[in-house]
Amino acid sequence: MFSRSVARSSSALARGFATSARSNRKVAVLGAAGGIGQPMSLLLKTDPLITGLSLYDIRGAPGVAADISHVNTHSEVKGYEKDDIKAALSGAEIIIIPAGVPRKPGMTRDDLFNTNASIVRDLAEACAEYAPNAYIGIIANPVNSTVPIWAEVYKKKGIFDPKKIFGITTLDVVRASRFLGEIKGADPKDINVTVVGGHSGVTIVPLLSQTTQGKDVSGEAYKALVKRIQFGGDEVVQAKAGTGSATLSMGFAGARFTNSLIRALNGETGVVEPTFVKSPLYESEGVEYFASNVELGPEGVKKINSVGELSAEEKELLNACLPDLAKNIKKGVEFVNKA
Amino acid sequence: MVKAVVCGAAGGIGQPLSLLLKLNPIITELSLYDVVNAVGVAADLSHIPTPAQVTGFLPADNGAEKALKGADIVVIPAGVPRKPGMTRDDLFVNAGICATLAQAIANACPKAFILVISNPVNSTVPVFAETLKKAGVFDPKKLLGVSHLDIIRASTFVASVLGKPTEALHYTIPVVGGHSGATILPLLSQAKPAIPDILNDKEKRDALVNRIQFGGDEVVKAKDGAGSATLSMAQAGAEFANYVLEAAFGGKKGKVVQAYINLGADAGGEGIKKEIGTDLDYFSVNIELGPSGIEKILPIGQIDDVEKGLLEAAVKELGPSIEKGNSFTPAPPKL
């Protein structure tokens, strides 16, 4: 069916966009007319597992939808703007949120908190009302805080299901394989680096010791590689010199996560994605949300994989991660509860 | 090793197009060229774990030729888009951009496949050809105006009219002629599977033809001044580039597609001129792709009376657009 689709000829996507039995999934994108939203919406339009695509943004989404609607794939797409969020969310099974403002050079993801926290809270309230059973994939930064914000809003409405709210951290893993592949001269698709922790700077903990290609990277090279993975996002913000942050690679990562989630919802087993979720792994240390490899299933989060054996360096990285992550989470929780 | 270059990579079409090309495993090197922002776009794409090494280039320091050196395929979405009320012809300002890029291609990668997206395609393809001819490197088998979005739209709109919007991929409708308004000639009578319900309903048929011909305007209007089709054009450009790549480097010979080409590319071009009854230099036709690019031009084939009428109108409008492209003389470079 997809002989004409570039998606099928791409091994990276083909791996993700495997077709299963006829799938009928409705996905909504909140922030669809933005830098991430647009390319991601195009990739979702060509995902054979999706039959309905709803694009919402404060402005511009109907134009984006008209554009994408001409692509001759299996799904119908409609655009909604301004106050039409109820219609946009009607029937949505999966909601992906790239909405919000991006970083400028010199900014950390946390600097986005003030603007994006309200956007995320408001969208969470709308979703709680119009699509309370949907699976939620959050891209809006700072993910370390916006995922707790979403959870707190849902707790207040009495509908919180920790198995259905995901912070999309796929890009950290994508970057890790890419950067490790570069120093090893290896094909990134043969490299699988587990990345745990959070989704910003030192909260990102790559577990290089757990990969065949990564275990022998040491000394200065190791430090540089870890730093590059942790600040991969900054690399793009710098290169874009004020015009934005990672959009195309984030669009790709978001589409890949969505496809994995749908495959798991459709009954495929063994679908594992790294994602930032409500997690028991470091709860005893005061960190309620943590990214690790999660096996997805029809319920959403099926199994949270533990981090496994850590090297001495990785234990150190984790020690640096946890207090920062706890702070970011607290900021999100307090933002909702002070209101 | 296959090197692809996108000229206009930081624009509305260029960015998603570059993303899709980065996802194509046939491409091992991807150069992104634009007058601004190409380096940032390249940094963004470079994180995606597919084989292609991505590098961004700006004009300074002979950037265009550096980007193009050794290219096997060049895709050109560069230029400005339409605003509501404009026809593609109103974009003739893009001709200057195309002439400059054609010169850089002539210098840096004269044997590359050249896929032109910049509008008005009906004229910019002739602009490319004339520049390449002057440089002594023109190969008509390798210059292709991308009309593929019209083909994509035709199948989507046919499926929609039939009340089966999710089955668009089941319908193949050849589209020939040119790439704007009335020059776009959808051959509904050749649709596979056949669509008698539409062919026999004059109102439905006329509306459908109109929609395919002015599908671009539909998006320009919906975007309300914010641009024209970017994402669907990126999809079309990437799909078409993939056909060329698979045929030239992937051993997939014999694939038949439509593209807006110079009819001198193959002996079959003379047959086309007879079929359309006019001596036009350029026409979008059925072509068989292969390692040389256009291996064969295939006949348009049997068309019905309605289509004969559309053909007449298409040819009439196309002639002057081609002439405009043929006779375009770029302004001398500012010193």
Side-chain angles (χ1 to χ4, degrees):
Chain A
M1 180 157 95
F2 271 82
S3 56
R4 279 186 285 164
S5 166
V6 173
R8 199 171 81 170
S9 64
S10 152
S11 62
L13 273 192
R15 203 175 38 180
F17 285 17
T19 49
S20 52
R22 185 75 164 196
S23 166
N24 252 322
R25 294 291 172 182
K26 293 193 163 62
V27 177
V29 178
L30 306 184
I36 297 170
Q38 289 201 42
M40 188 174 71
S41 298
L42 173 61
L43 292 176
L44 294 174
K45 179 74 175 86
T46 58
D47 184 337
L49 302 181
I50 297 172
T51 41
L53 196 51
S54 187
L55 306 185
Y56 171 82
D57 210 322
I58 45 175
R59 73 188 137 261
V64 175
D67 187 348
I68 294 179
S69 74
H70 288 183
V71 177
N72 55 354
T73 54
H74 183 59
S75 48
E76 289 189 74
V77 55
K78 195 142 188 261
Y80 302 86
E81 60 182 355
K82 301 194 200 91
D83 299 322
D84 288 340
I85 193 160
K86 178 177 177 186
L89 292 173
S90 162
E93 295 171 281
I94 295 163
I95 304 171
I96 308 291
I97 301 104
V101 298
R103 292 193 275 167
K104 290 204 179 299
M107 289 173 84
T108 64
R109 286 185 184 85
D110 199 51
D111 294 330
L112 297 176
F113 185 89
N114 293 332
T115 320
N116 289 352
S118 326
I119 294 174
V120 167
R121 178 202 53 208
D122 294 347
L123 292 176
E125 283 173 354
C127 293
E129 206 178 327
Y130 304 125
N133 296 319
Y135 301 83
I136 307 291
I138 300 170
I139 293 174
N141 271 316
V143 164
N144 293 353
S145 308
T146 55
V147 168
I149 287 175
W150 203 283
E152 290 301 305
V153 168
Y154 274 30
K155 279 181 196 171
K156 276 179 143 185
K157 309 271 181 185
I159 60 166
F160 177 52
D161 180 349
K163 297 200 226 54
K164 284 183 164 179
I165 300 180
F166 304 88
I168 299 183
T169 58
T170 324
L171 199 46
D172 300 324
V173 164
V174 160
R175 285 175 176 146
S177 352
R178 183 73 193 175
F179 300 159
L180 179 55
E182 258 170 47
I183 64 177
K184 287 284 167 166
D187 190 341
K189 78 175 193 300
D190 299 327
I191 302 179
N192 232 319
V193 182
T194 298
V195 181
V196 301
H199 182 60
S200 89
V202 300
T203 67
I204 295 174
V205 179
L207 304 183
L208 296 166
S209 72
Q210 294 180 8
T211 59
T212 26
Q213 301 91 339
K215 16 178 201 268
D216 57 4
V217 182
S218 60
E220 284 312 308
Y222 174 81
K223 288 202 187 106
L225 178 57
V226 168
K227 198 146 189 158
R228 199 179 173 204
I229 295 168
Q230 291 182 331
F231 295 93
D234 295 59
E235 202 173 289
V236 181
V237 172
Q238 281 299 336
K240 288 199 174 184
T243 60
S245 59
T247 49
L248 303 171
S249 51
M250 187 65 236
F252 160 76
R256 192 183 100 171
F257 180 84
T258 306
N259 179 266
S260 293
L261 181 57
I262 293 176
R263 280 160 44 224
L265 297 181
N266 286 351
E268 190 176 319
T269 53
V271 181
V272 175
E273 279 283 352
T275 169
F276 183 74
V277 293
K278 178 99 168 56
S279 173
L281 294 180
Y282 292 92
E283 213 171 358
S284 55
E285 300 187 43
V287 174
E288 275 188 270
Y289 297 85
F290 195 79
S292 63
N293 281 335
V294 171
E295 194 182 325
L296 302 171
E299 63 270 64
V301 172
K302 183 168 169 182
K303 178 161 172 271
I304 294 175
N305 292 348
S306 72
V307 300
E309 194 73 48
L310 300 181
S311 67
E313 290 87 353
E314 285 153 5
K315 290 190 177 128
E316 250 183 75
L317 292 174
L318 195 55
N319 286 337
C321 153
L322 293 174
D324 267 23
L325 188 45
K327 257 202 324 239
N328 297 153
I329 292 168
K330 189 159 178 246
K331 200 169 172 181
V333 170
E334 285 179 354
F335 175 78
V336 174
N337 291 307
K338 74 164 170 27
Chain B
M1 304 299 283
V2 176
K3 177 172 174 177
V5 181
V6 179
C7 295
I13 298 171
Q15 290 202 41
L17 171 63
S18 300
L19 169 61
L20 294 176
L21 292 177
K22 176 72 174 97
L23 295 175
N24 189 327
I26 296 179
I27 296 171
T28 52
E29 198 183 335
L30 182 60
S31 281
L32 308 184
Y33 175 76
D34 211 326
V35 292
V36 289
N37 299 337
V39 173
V41 175
D44 188 349
L45 287 180
S46 72
H47 291 180
I48 294 175
T50 52
Q53 292 287 104
V54 197
T55 318
F57 295 86
L58 296 171
D61 241 358
N62 215 5
E65 287 185 30
K66 285 201 177 108
L68 290 163
K69 188 157 192 281
D72 295 296
I73 184 170
V74 185
V75 190
I76 303 119
V80 299
R82 289 194 274 166
K83 291 209 177 297
M86 289 170 87
T87 64
R88 286 186 183 85
D89 208 51
D90 294 330
L91 294 179
F92 201 71
V93 60
N94 289 340
I97 295 173
C98 288
T100 309
L101 290 172
Q103 190 57 61
I105 289 170
N107 294 341
C109 55
K111 296 208 186 306
F113 295 102
I114 303 170
L115 273 53
V116 181
I117 293 174
S118 310
N119 271 315
V121 166
N122 292 350
S123 309
T124 55
V125 171
V127 167
F128 264 91
E130 291 304 303
T131 313
L132 296 166
K133 278 182 201 172
K134 286 196 187 87
V137 299
F138 179 49
D139 179 357
K141 289 180 177 301
K142 291 194 164 166
L143 178 63
L144 303 115
V146 182
S147 58
H148 189 55
L149 186 49
D150 300 324
I151 283 97
I152 288 178
R153 283 178 177 145
S155 63
T156 302
F157 299 164
V158 161
S160 176
V161 168
L162 293 175
K164 304 179 193 174
T166 60
E167 296 190 20
L169 274 174
H170 295 187
Y171 293 92
T172 312
I173 295 102
V175 181
V176 298
H179 182 58
S180 93
T183 67
I184 295 173
L185 178 41
L187 300 179
L188 299 175
S189 68
Q190 292 185 11
K192 289 194 175 63
I195 47 176
D197 287 348
I198 295 177
L199 294 176
N200 298 327
D201 183 332
K202 181 169 175 0
E203 223 180 282
K204 253 192 196 146
R205 182 176 186 167
D206 287 348
L208 177 57
V209 168
N210 191 269
R211 198 179 176 205
I212 295 168
Q213 292 183 331
F214 295 95
D217 294 59
E218 195 176 295
V219 180
V220 171
K221 198 149 168 249
K223 288 198 174 185
D224 204 22
S228 59
T230 48
L231 302 169
S232 50
M233 185 64 239
Q235 179 69 23
E239 262 182 39
F240 190 77
N242 191 48
Y243 296 150
V244 173
L245 290 170
E246 283 189 329
F249 303 101
K252 282 220 171 114
K253 292 172 73 187
K255 173 108 189 162
V256 176
V257 295
Q258 292 97 53
Y260 182 74
I261 61 164
N262 181 293
L263 292 177
D266 174 66
E270 289 307 305
I272 299 289
K273 291 178 188 176
K274 290 200 182 73
E275 276 184 302
I276 65 179
T278 320
D279 214 2
L280 288 179
D281 292 332
Y282 296 84
F283 210 71
S284 186
V285 289
N286 294 305
I287 56 178
E288 205 179 285
L289 291 171
S292 330
I294 299 163
E295 304 286 350
K296 259 202 230 138
I297 293 176
L298 303 171
I300 292 171
Q302 191 84 275
I303 65 176
D304 67 17
D305 288 329
V306 174
E307 286 154 356
K308 288 190 181 126
L310 294 171
L311 175 59
E312 235 183 276
V315 163
K316 205 157 148 221
E317 201 179 297
L318 201 39
S321 300
I322 294 172
E323 200 26 56
K324 205 167 171 184
N326 279 341
S327 54
F328 172 73
T329 315
K334 294 190 171 76
L335 291 165

